[in-house]
Amino acid sequence: MSQSPNSVNVDQDVEVLMRDGCSLQADVYRPAQAPEELPVLVLRTPYDRRVTNQTVMAPAEWYASQGFIVVCQDARGRFASDGEFDPFTNEALDGHDTVEWAARLGGSTGEVGLYGASYAGYNQLLTAVTRPPSLKAIAPVISGSDLASEWIYPSGVLNLNFVVWWSAFLGLDMAKRSGDDEHFQALAAIVADPTAALALSPSAVEPLMKLPVYRRFIGAEVDDDWWSENRVLSRISSIDVPTILVGGWYDVFNEGSIAAFRQLAETSDEHRLLIGPWCHVPWSAYMGDLSYGGQAWGNVVDHAVAGFFRYHLKGEGKPSESPVSYFTIFDNVWAEADQWPPGGTIPRRWFLGSEGLANSAGGDGTLTEEPSAGDSPDYFVYDPAGPVPSLGGFSCCFEEVAPLGPRDQRPIEARRDVLVYTTEPLDELLLAGPGYVDVWISTRAVSADYLVRLCVVEEEESINISEGIVSLSEEEIAETGDNGLQLRISLRNIAAKVRTGSRLRLHITGGSFPAFPINPQTGGTSPDGQPSPPAPASHTVYHDETRPSHLELTILPIGDEASNAGFRRIGI
């Protein structure tokens, strides 16, 4: 046993046996001056237990200093633990067994909580579905709730940047354990700079294709059972312990955290949702081209999680009265609500319009609250050889290798393959919830993607706050009628203040690379079975009396805040 300067003792390399005899390694942290018994917090991670999830959350010593025994464990087949690693496959039962083992630790009250971020958050949900008797609360942070529709295929489109980088990152320990140094070095090069692999050339992705996890993610190996068995959202009602879900407006998995909370809130009022202004990593008070102020540092998460566990595992303190706490971008304040979206929100609609030349921010695209009667359609040509680049956004996992966060979109808006529609200066608005774009299109492409992006324009700076994408197959495009094809593209949830004099702006284009793969616009395969060569194609966007393309957002009316149940400022 070692004792750290902050009076937390650590038992290292503690063996935890699973029901099948597999040995997992853990470290156990205890306050040196602990009372006779304490509840246990368990963190289970594939990213080396010794790091204790510190990339985003406070070190294990800090949580122990808050009056808990803390267990940090390597997942099966990772780092010091035995067995074979297959992402998520064993986490439900291994988590169940670890919870019950932790409850029997000397000095434990027998009550256990699970905490951790990203993978270490998702595996909590998998474990909680099995209902371990000793599990009393969980804290899944930036984890989402559905592997298919959030982690790997948001809106049905491969989450390219994330899948390439994360697969290579997971593969590092696999190659190291197998003693394949050449494979390790090739994967390390992708982790450091995934640019070549993102182009998906055969030679660049060869190291990835050796990984079963990558082949599964890209559909090279069909494994329907794996997807269904590890999908939590469809079984979320099985979770019967208080849960605090934490997300970030620019986090790749935030939509899943919101969806999980909304379902859990129907079963109990003990669940909580906290959403900050953050990307997946890091949780900073400044991100991209925005500064949020000192109240936005990620330490707020650790205090919220520790307070949640103190109440539910120790009966100390008092939980927040409101189930939802969220950060409002541009206003830079925390607020509370009784639900998400907040009570009292209303839809508000803006219609697309132009004189037929909405290309770029210098075009004539408009957003107005009255539909246009006889507008000319807009046209753009999308060329897969020169795709629209991702600038900021909602990918994962580090800014150095992924398009993350709020960025000034003016370089994107200078392109003529991006249609841009902008409102006149607005009175103050509070956006609080999801949105969508209804748009009528036609195209000469065989297959196509359509990406929409919502921005707030202050003076000249145009900051992205939400986006959505849809991918159309050859069969779907073939259904285009004389009036075009109507698409509904969902926009991510957001809480943002549009200050008086600012404007809303909408982009429509054919993709965002490397956040998403480049659609070749020529279908899937050619007659000889080879991938179809990419080709430029023209696209038409309609907005007239019979095809009223529009943007709809969720608005929280601004009034007397004391009487507005949907918006209560708080100090965090």
Side-chain angles (χ1 to χ4, degrees), residues 27 40 47 54 72 100 152 182 235 260 265 298-299 313 315 366 383-384 433 442 446 464 467 473 486 488 507 551:
D27 296 334
V40 184
Y47 303 133
Q54 186 184 256
C72 295
E100 295 309 306
I152 311 300
E182 182 179 355
R235 297 177 287 157
N299 293 347
L313 301 185
T366 61
D383 185 359
S442 63
V446 176
N464 56 305
E467 70 180 25
S473 66
Q486 182 182 1
R488 173 162 290 189
H507 302 172
L551 161 71

Side-chain angles (χ1 to χ4, degrees), residues 505-538:
R505 177 168 286 170
L506 181 71
H507 302 172
I508 300 179
T509 186
S512 176
F513 176 80
F516 302 104
I518 300 170
N519 193 310
Q521 302 188 136
T522 51
T525 56
S526 59
D528 62 0
Q530 298 301 310
S532 299
S538 63

Side-chain angles (χ1 to χ4, degrees), residues 183-348:
H183 192 202
F184 179 90
Q185 295 300 330
L187 293 171
I190 294 174
V191 170
D193 183 3
T195 305
L198 290 168
L200 300 182
S201 66
S203 60
V205 300
E206 183 179 356
L208 294 171
M209 290 300 293
K210 294 180 180 180
L211 300 172
V213 58
Y214 178 76
R215 296 197 302 270
R216 175 190 287 148
F217 288 164
I218 66 170
E221 290 185 358
V222 178
D223 193 348
D224 292 338
D225 289 342
W226 183 88
W227 292 104
S228 60
E229 289 170 3
N230 292 303
R231 185 171 190 258
V232 172
L233 190 59
S234 60
R235 297 177 287 157
I236 202 79
S237 60
S238 298
I239 295 177
D240 61 352
V241 296
T243 301
I244 180 170
L245 294 127
V246 178
W249 293 127
Y250 290 91
D251 175 40
V252 63
F253 307 135
N254 194 51
E255 293 298 283
S257 297
I258 291 174
F261 169 77
R262 284 170 57 86
Q263 288 198 32
L264 286 170
E266 295 178 359
T267 66
S268 169
D269 61 3
E270 292 188 306
H271 305 296
R272 294 294 182 266
L273 175 67
L274 185 152
I275 306 178
W278 312 297
C279 299
H280 197 69
V281 179
W283 303 340
S284 173
Y286 49 89
M287 191 165 296
D289 292 328
L290 291 183
S291 177
Y292 300 128
Q295 70 275 26
W297 285 103
N299 293 347
V300 65
V301 174
D302 295 300
H303 288 294
V305 168
F308 187 79
F309 283 131
R310 274 195 293 270
Y311 178 76
H312 288 289
L313 301 185
K314 304 176 75 174
E316 297 176 358
K318 182 180 180 182
S320 60
E321 293 184 5
S322 297
V324 180
S325 301
Y326 64 95
F327 192 89
T328 305
I329 294 173
F330 300 114
D331 202 16
N332 290 356
V333 298
W334 287 93
E336 289 185 335
D338 297 327
Q339 61 190 53
W340 188 262
T345 56
I346 58 174
R348 186 165 169 182

Side-chain angles (χ1 to χ4, degrees), residues 7 21 32 62 85 113 120 166 265 302 306 458 490 497 504 568:
S7 299
W62 183 85
F85 179 66
W166 190 51
D302 295 300
E458 292 195 335
S490 297
K497 183 175 185 177
L504 291 173
R568 293 186 290 276

